[in-house]
Amino acid sequence: MLAKRIIACLDVNDGVVVKGIKFQNHQIVGDIIPLAKRYAEEGIDELVFYDITASTKNKLVDKSWIENIAEVINIPFCVAGGIKSVEDAKNILSSGADKISINSSALIDPDLITKISERFGVQCMVIGIDSWFDKVNNSYMVQQYTGDVTKTYQTSWKTSDWVKKVQEKGAGEIVLNMMNKDGLQKGYDLLHLSEIRQICKVPLIASGGAGNVEHFYEALHYSNVDGVLAASVFHKNIVDIKTLKNFLIDRGMEIREC
């Protein structure tokens, strides 16, 4: 059995780490490198860095801080932000990232998933999906350009259909960002996760809603996801990583010890 992963997410904007609620009203949390180093030392399994405005500003994520991160941590990390081509992916991976994640660019050109997967391998091709429950359609729908509230809009993709499509195109992993739960610390959307789990054959990562150690367990156990991603609870020291891991191990989960 593969170990379940605990992942810390660092949203980056203008060179600093930020965090909002439901992808809005972002506040500065701290500097990138010290936070990355801190989480690695505390025993996190993996880090994800999202440059949340790179796509809307039509620019590629800044390579300089990626290279600095690679020098100070020894755990896998994934980078997202403005990656629109195979060459962009190459630049990020050559700067030290272990994986790259694309979101809006995949919605514009789904074949980009295939091109990157075939060039660098599916293991480094992560698809981020921003999913919002639309009461009008009574369905979870995919949102695009979520890093800037003035440019965010709802696509015509149902989340479940998009999950199937990205797998057909060569996605190696899917991070499901449940926007309705983001930043609220009231737990992951287990119903949504479980529905997606049924159709997702690649590693599935839950994102959005963690507020305590029970929430992590619920997503890992009841929705059977491969990893749980969180930001606020780690940034604010609400959940201690070692305590979380010991809690999950005591519950019988396969987790890498700190």
mmCIF file of all heavy atoms in Angstrom, residues 130-143 154 159 178-181 189 191-192 195:
data_model
loop_
_atom_site.group_PDB
_atom_site.id
_atom_site.type_symbol
_atom_site.label_atom_id
_atom_site.label_comp_id
_atom_site.label_asym_id
_atom_site.label_seq_id
_atom_site.Cartn_x
_atom_site.Cartn_y
_atom_site.Cartn_z
ATOM 1 N N ASP A 130 -10.447 23.555 -10.202
ATOM 2 C CA ASP A 130 -11.180 24.401 -9.265
ATOM 3 C C ASP A 130 -12.667 24.147 -9.454
ATOM 4 O O ASP A 130 -13.249 24.538 -10.467
ATOM 5 C CB ASP A 130 -10.847 25.875 -9.507
ATOM 6 C CG ASP A 130 -9.369 26.159 -9.295
ATOM 7 O OD1 ASP A 130 -8.743 25.453 -8.479
ATOM 8 O OD2 ASP A 130 -8.838 27.088 -9.933
ATOM 9 N N SER A 131 -13.260 23.477 -8.480
ATOM 10 C CA SER A 131 -14.633 23.007 -8.604
ATOM 11 C C SER A 131 -15.562 23.807 -7.692
ATOM 12 O O SER A 131 -15.293 23.993 -6.508
ATOM 13 C CB SER A 131 -14.691 21.514 -8.246
ATOM 14 O OG SER A 131 -15.979 20.997 -8.440
ATOM 15 N N TRP A 132 -16.669 24.265 -8.251
ATOM 16 C CA TRP A 132 -17.638 25.094 -7.515
ATOM 17 C C TRP A 132 -19.024 24.495 -7.673
ATOM 18 O O TRP A 132 -19.429 24.174 -8.795
ATOM 19 C CB TRP A 132 -17.610 26.522 -8.071
ATOM 20 C CG TRP A 132 -18.641 27.439 -7.477
ATOM 21 C CD1 TRP A 132 -19.851 27.767 -7.999
ATOM 22 C CD2 TRP A 132 -18.547 28.149 -6.232
ATOM 23 N NE1 TRP A 132 -20.520 28.621 -7.164
ATOM 24 C CE2 TRP A 132 -19.743 28.890 -6.072
ATOM 25 C CE3 TRP A 132 -17.562 28.231 -5.236
ATOM 26 C CZ2 TRP A 132 -19.976 29.696 -4.957
ATOM 27 C CZ3 TRP A 132 -17.804 29.037 -4.121
ATOM 28 C CH2 TRP A 132 -18.986 29.759 -4.005
ATOM 29 N N PHE A 133 -19.743 24.355 -6.557
ATOM 30 C CA PHE A 133 -21.107 23.824 -6.668
ATOM 31 C C PHE A 133 -22.047 24.933 -7.111
ATOM 32 O O PHE A 133 -22.276 25.907 -6.389
ATOM 33 C CB PHE A 133 -21.595 23.222 -5.349
ATOM 34 C CG PHE A 133 -22.958 22.610 -5.476
ATOM 35 C CD1 PHE A 133 -23.123 21.412 -6.157
ATOM 36 C CD2 PHE A 133 -24.078 23.245 -4.962
ATOM 37 C CE1 PHE A 133 -24.378 20.847 -6.307
ATOM 38 C CE2 PHE A 133 -25.335 22.685 -5.109
ATOM 39 C CZ PHE A 133 -25.491 21.481 -5.781
ATOM 40 N N ASP A 134 -22.578 24.780 -8.310
ATOM 41 C CA ASP A 134 -23.477 25.767 -8.902
ATOM 42 C C ASP A 134 -24.917 25.366 -8.593
ATOM 43 O O ASP A 134 -25.418 24.362 -9.115
ATOM 44 C CB ASP A 134 -23.239 25.828 -10.412
ATOM 45 C CG ASP A 134 -24.103 26.877 -11.088
ATOM 46 O OD1 ASP A 134 -24.964 27.466 -10.407
ATOM 47 O OD2 ASP A 134 -23.922 27.106 -12.296
ATOM 48 N N LYS A 135 -25.576 26.150 -7.746
ATOM 49 C CA LYS A 135 -26.937 25.807 -7.331
ATOM 50 C C LYS A 135 -27.921 25.878 -8.494
ATOM 51 O O LYS A 135 -28.919 25.158 -8.519
ATOM 52 C CB LYS A 135 -27.377 26.745 -6.199
ATOM 53 C CG LYS A 135 -26.579 26.556 -4.915
ATOM 54 C CD LYS A 135 -27.056 27.513 -3.828
ATOM 55 C CE LYS A 135 -26.250 27.315 -2.554
ATOM 56 N NZ LYS A 135 -26.652 28.268 -1.485
ATOM 57 N N VAL A 136 -27.651 26.760 -9.444
ATOM 58 C CA VAL A 136 -28.552 26.897 -10.591
ATOM 59 C C VAL A 136 -28.564 25.615 -11.414
ATOM 60 O O VAL A 136 -29.620 25.092 -11.789
ATOM 61 C CB VAL A 136 -28.147 28.097 -11.472
ATOM 62 C CG1 VAL A 136 -29.025 28.149 -12.728
ATOM 63 C CG2 VAL A 136 -28.254 29.391 -10.683
ATOM 64 N N ASN A 137 -27.359 25.109 -11.689
ATOM 65 C CA ASN A 137 -27.236 23.869 -12.467
ATOM 66 C C ASN A 137 -27.337 22.617 -11.595
ATOM 67 O O ASN A 137 -27.369 21.504 -12.119
ATOM 68 C CB ASN A 137 -25.896 23.850 -13.215
ATOM 69 C CG ASN A 137 -25.839 24.872 -14.321
ATOM 70 O OD1 ASN A 137 -26.793 25.028 -15.078
ATOM 71 N ND2 ASN A 137 -24.726 25.587 -14.431
ATOM 72 N N ASN A 138 -27.341 22.839 -10.262
ATOM 73 C CA ASN A 138 -27.347 21.718 -9.315
ATOM 74 C C ASN A 138 -26.226 20.735 -9.641
ATOM 75 O O ASN A 138 -26.421 19.511 -9.655
ATOM 76 C CB ASN A 138 -28.690 20.988 -9.332
ATOM 77 C CG ASN A 138 -28.845 20.031 -8.158
ATOM 78 O OD1 ASN A 138 -28.324 20.295 -7.061
ATOM 79 N ND2 ASN A 138 -29.526 18.918 -8.369
ATOM 80 N N SER A 139 -25.047 21.306 -9.895
ATOM 81 C CA SER A 139 -23.921 20.468 -10.296
ATOM 82 C C SER A 139 -22.617 21.170 -9.955
ATOM 83 O O SER A 139 -22.555 22.407 -9.889
ATOM 84 C CB SER A 139 -23.982 20.205 -11.807
ATOM 85 O OG SER A 139 -22.911 19.396 -12.216
ATOM 86 N N TYR A 140 -21.588 20.370 -9.756
ATOM 87 C CA TYR A 140 -20.250 20.929 -9.569
ATOM 88 C C TYR A 140 -19.698 21.301 -10.942
ATOM 89 O O TYR A 140 -19.680 20.481 -11.858
ATOM 90 C CB TYR A 140 -19.326 19.922 -8.891
ATOM 91 C CG TYR A 140 -19.648 19.700 -7.438
ATOM 92 C CD1 TYR A 140 -20.477 18.653 -7.037
ATOM 93 C CD2 TYR A 140 -19.122 20.539 -6.458
ATOM 94 C CE1 TYR A 140 -20.783 18.448 -5.696
ATOM 95 C CE2 TYR A 140 -19.413 20.338 -5.110
ATOM 96 C CZ TYR A 140 -20.245 19.291 -4.739
ATOM 97 O OH TYR A 140 -20.541 19.088 -3.416
ATOM 98 N N MET A 141 -19.243 22.546 -11.050
ATOM 99 C CA MET A 141 -18.759 23.065 -12.322
ATOM 100 C C MET A 141 -17.311 23.542 -12.171
ATOM 101 O O MET A 141 -16.889 23.986 -11.095
ATOM 102 C CB MET A 141 -19.631 24.222 -12.797
ATOM 103 C CG MET A 141 -21.114 23.909 -12.925
ATOM 104 S SD MET A 141 -21.492 22.669 -14.193
ATOM 105 C CE MET A 141 -21.060 23.572 -15.692
ATOM 106 N N VAL A 142 -16.558 23.495 -13.260
ATOM 107 C CA VAL A 142 -15.149 23.922 -13.246
ATOM 108 C C VAL A 142 -15.059 25.425 -13.461
ATOM 109 O O VAL A 142 -15.682 25.974 -14.376
ATOM 110 C CB VAL A 142 -14.362 23.188 -14.347
ATOM 111 C CG1 VAL A 142 -12.912 23.684 -14.372
ATOM 112 C CG2 VAL A 142 -14.395 21.687 -14.115
ATOM 113 N N GLN A 143 -14.285 26.080 -12.604
ATOM 114 C CA GLN A 143 -14.039 27.513 -12.710
ATOM 115 C C GLN A 143 -12.640 27.741 -13.308
ATOM 116 O O GLN A 143 -11.730 26.939 -13.121
ATOM 117 C CB GLN A 143 -14.100 28.161 -11.331
ATOM 118 C CG GLN A 143 -15.405 27.934 -10.592
ATOM 119 C CD GLN A 143 -16.420 29.020 -10.836
ATOM 120 O OE1 GLN A 143 -16.090 30.191 -10.845
ATOM 121 N NE2 GLN A 143 -17.666 28.631 -11.021
ATOM 122 N N GLN A 154 -17.103 30.793 -14.805
ATOM 123 C CA GLN A 154 -17.465 29.381 -14.799
ATOM 124 C C GLN A 154 -17.439 28.825 -16.207
ATOM 125 O O GLN A 154 -18.067 29.385 -17.114
ATOM 126 C CB GLN A 154 -18.858 29.212 -14.191
ATOM 127 C CG GLN A 154 -19.285 27.755 -14.031
ATOM 128 C CD GLN A 154 -20.444 27.630 -13.087
ATOM 129 O OE1 GLN A 154 -20.304 27.894 -11.888
ATOM 130 N NE2 GLN A 154 -21.595 27.249 -13.593
ATOM 131 N N THR A 159 -17.541 19.208 -13.433
ATOM 132 C CA THR A 159 -16.284 18.720 -12.864
ATOM 133 C C THR A 159 -16.051 17.252 -13.192
ATOM 134 O O THR A 159 -14.944 16.850 -13.555
ATOM 135 C CB THR A 159 -16.280 18.931 -11.343
ATOM 136 O OG1 THR A 159 -16.480 20.321 -11.059
ATOM 137 C CG2 THR A 159 -14.965 18.477 -10.729
ATOM 138 N N MET A 178 -11.855 22.309 -3.864
ATOM 139 C CA MET A 178 -13.291 22.482 -3.640
ATOM 140 C C MET A 178 -13.543 23.890 -3.117
ATOM 141 O O MET A 178 -13.447 24.166 -1.925
ATOM 142 C CB MET A 178 -13.774 21.391 -2.683
ATOM 143 C CG MET A 178 -13.629 19.995 -3.304
ATOM 144 S SD MET A 178 -13.687 18.632 -2.127
ATOM 145 C CE MET A 178 -12.074 18.770 -1.363
ATOM 146 N N MET A 179 -13.868 24.766 -4.045
ATOM 147 C CA MET A 179 -13.914 26.197 -3.756
ATOM 148 C C MET A 179 -14.963 26.556 -2.704
ATOM 149 O O MET A 179 -14.762 27.498 -1.934
ATOM 150 C CB MET A 179 -14.175 26.964 -5.050
ATOM 151 C CG MET A 179 -13.064 26.823 -6.074
ATOM 152 S SD MET A 179 -13.426 27.702 -7.606
ATOM 153 C CE MET A 179 -13.422 29.410 -7.058
ATOM 154 N N ASN A 180 -16.061 25.848 -2.660
ATOM 155 C CA ASN A 180 -17.104 26.162 -1.682
ATOM 156 C C ASN A 180 -16.620 25.976 -0.247
ATOM 157 O O ASN A 180 -17.177 26.552 0.682
ATOM 158 C CB ASN A 180 -18.335 25.265 -1.898
ATOM 159 C CG ASN A 180 -18.912 25.397 -3.281
ATOM 160 O OD1 ASN A 180 -18.351 24.851 -4.226
ATOM 161 N ND2 ASN A 180 -20.004 26.127 -3.424
ATOM 162 N N LYS A 181 -15.590 25.155 -0.079
ATOM 163 C CA LYS A 181 -15.077 24.845 1.261
ATOM 164 C C LYS A 181 -13.775 25.580 1.574
ATOM 165 O O LYS A 181 -13.335 25.594 2.727
ATOM 166 C CB LYS A 181 -14.815 23.333 1.353
ATOM 167 C CG LYS A 181 -16.066 22.463 1.254
ATOM 168 C CD LYS A 181 -16.866 22.513 2.546
ATOM 169 C CE LYS A 181 -17.976 21.481 2.536
ATOM 170 N NZ LYS A 181 -18.693 21.424 3.816
ATOM 171 N N ASP A 189 -15.203 18.500 1.324
ATOM 172 C CA ASP A 189 -16.491 18.118 0.742
ATOM 173 C C ASP A 189 -16.428 16.619 0.427
ATOM 174 O O ASP A 189 -16.056 16.211 -0.672
ATOM 175 C CB ASP A 189 -16.749 18.932 -0.532
ATOM 176 C CG ASP A 189 -18.148 18.718 -1.078
ATOM 177 O OD1 ASP A 189 -18.737 17.662 -0.808
ATOM 178 O OD2 ASP A 189 -18.637 19.612 -1.796
ATOM 179 N N LEU A 191 -18.714 14.314 0.031
ATOM 180 C CA LEU A 191 -19.609 13.797 -1.002
ATOM 181 C C LEU A 191 -19.011 14.009 -2.388
ATOM 182 O O LEU A 191 -18.962 13.091 -3.216
ATOM 183 C CB LEU A 191 -20.974 14.488 -0.918
ATOM 184 C CG LEU A 191 -21.995 14.079 -1.987
ATOM 185 C CD1 LEU A 191 -22.293 12.591 -1.897
ATOM 186 C CD2 LEU A 191 -23.281 14.905 -1.837
ATOM 187 N N HIS A 192 -18.527 15.214 -2.607
ATOM 188 C CA HIS A 192 -17.905 15.528 -3.909
ATOM 189 C C HIS A 192 -16.660 14.672 -4.137
ATOM 190 O O HIS A 192 -16.465 14.097 -5.215
ATOM 191 C CB HIS A 192 -17.553 17.014 -3.935
ATOM 192 C CG HIS A 192 -17.133 17.529 -5.277
ATOM 193 N ND1 HIS A 192 -17.561 16.975 -6.457
ATOM 194 C CD2 HIS A 192 -16.300 18.563 -5.624
ATOM 195 C CE1 HIS A 192 -17.033 17.633 -7.475
ATOM 196 N NE2 HIS A 192 -16.264 18.595 -7.006
ATOM 197 N N GLU A 195 -17.587 11.067 -5.003
ATOM 198 C CA GLU A 195 -18.101 10.941 -6.375
ATOM 199 C C GLU A 195 -16.952 10.962 -7.382
ATOM 200 O O GLU A 195 -16.935 10.173 -8.336
ATOM 201 C CB GLU A 195 -19.076 12.079 -6.662
ATOM 202 C CG GLU A 195 -20.386 11.963 -5.909
ATOM 203 C CD GLU A 195 -21.295 13.170 -6.110
ATOM 204 O OE1 GLU A 195 -20.799 14.204 -6.619
ATOM 205 O OE2 GLU A 195 -22.472 13.078 -5.754
#
